[in-house]
Each structure stands twice: as C-alpha cells, then as structure tokens.
Amino acid sequence: MDINIEEIQTLLDRAAEAREFSYSPYSDYMVGAALLARNGEIITGCNVENAAYGPSNCAERTAFFTAVGKGLRDLRAIAIAGGKRNGERDFAYPCGVCRQVMAEFCNPDSFYIIVGKSREDYRVHTLKELLPESFGAANLKM
C-alpha cells in the first residue's frame, strides 16, 4: 500500500474537521472529506445540501472540484468522515456519483479511499474495489 498510517490518520483528522462545516439541515448527515495530492497538499470539502435536493453536493466532490480548480490532478487518497449530527460517526462510503468523479481523475488501482469512524477505526480500499468495471475515458476511445 502506497500510504502510511500517519498519512491515513492525518487525512481522517482533516476530514473530521471539514465535517464541522457541513451544511446538512435536511438529512442531518454531516460529511467531511480530505483529499491528498501527490505533492502533499490536502484539500478538504464538506457536503452542502439544498432544499431542492438536486443541487446538493457531496463532500468528496467538493474536495475533488476544489483540487481540480487549483490545478491538482495527481491525487493519491481521500478520507471520509460522516455520520448523523449528534451521533457516532459511520463508515461513510462515497456514493456512486462520487466514485465516478474519482474514476475521472484517479488510477483505480492506486487511489485509496479511507472511511473511518475514528483515527483508529478505519477501512482502506482502492477505487477499483469500490467501483469495479467502471466506465471511463478509455471506453470512449475507438
């Protein structure tokens, strides 16, 4: 695995911090994400809900779109911290749309998705494990 425990714990901490900025008045499900670029920079994001639901945005995509907007495309890992506002954190896995966004910018074999209840209780997966047989740019080549 191309990520060490110190990096994992730092990402989990930063995701938990980002979670505090969540705007989730409808679901009360707060999510924060911390995205690690190859250059060591960490980009965070939180979920932002909307009364019309469709315009809502997940924490993972918030972090990805911020990274891309900063010119960062060489991305190594993302940690996600989520759970109900007044409850214990869950293993908050990314939704299908977020996984597809990750596939656009990351190598599925070497990009890590870390979900954690805490810095000690976490799971690490590759994107390929969570999005097998994904559709990507290679599918559009003739």
Side-chain angles (χ1 to χ4, degrees), residues 5-138:
I5 191 158
E6 292 83 17
E7 291 172 315
I8 290 169
Q9 290 179 332
T10 297
L11 288 173
L12 287 166
D13 290 344
R14 294 289 302 276
E17 291 168 8
R19 180 178 178 267
E20 295 304 312
F21 295 107
S22 168
Y23 178 75
S24 48
Y26 306 105
S27 71
D28 254 0
Y29 196 85
M30 301 170 63
V31 182
L35 179 62
L36 178 62
R38 183 90 35 208
N39 70 2
E41 189 171 345
I42 297 174
I43 300 89
T44 61
C46 66
N47 60 322
V48 180
E49 294 180 350
N50 187 285
Y53 294 108
S56 298
N57 200 50
C58 298
E60 301 91 313
R61 281 183 283 144
T62 300
F64 262 86
F65 296 158
T66 300
V68 170
K70 294 177 75 171
L72 297 170
R73 303 258 166 67
D74 194 3
L75 307 166
R76 293 180 53 210
I78 192 167
I80 305 160
K84 284 293 198 177
R85 183 173 314 278
N86 295 317
E88 183 178 308
R89 281 188 5 212
D90 295 329
F91 290 115
Y93 282 88
C95 73
V97 173
C98 288
R99 294 175 198 202
Q100 185 63 44
V101 168
M102 292 174 193
E104 183 70 20
F105 296 102
C106 303
N107 179 333
D109 293 313
S110 61
F111 182 75
Y112 296 101
I113 299 169
I114 305 149
V115 294
K117 292 183 177 184
S118 69
R119 46 188 351 247
E120 293 81 27
D121 189 6
Y122 61 86
R123 299 171 183 166
V124 181
H125 303 276
T126 63
L127 178 56
K128 186 173 186 173
E129 289 175 306
L130 297 184
L131 189 65
E133 304 300 328
S134 66
F135 183 88

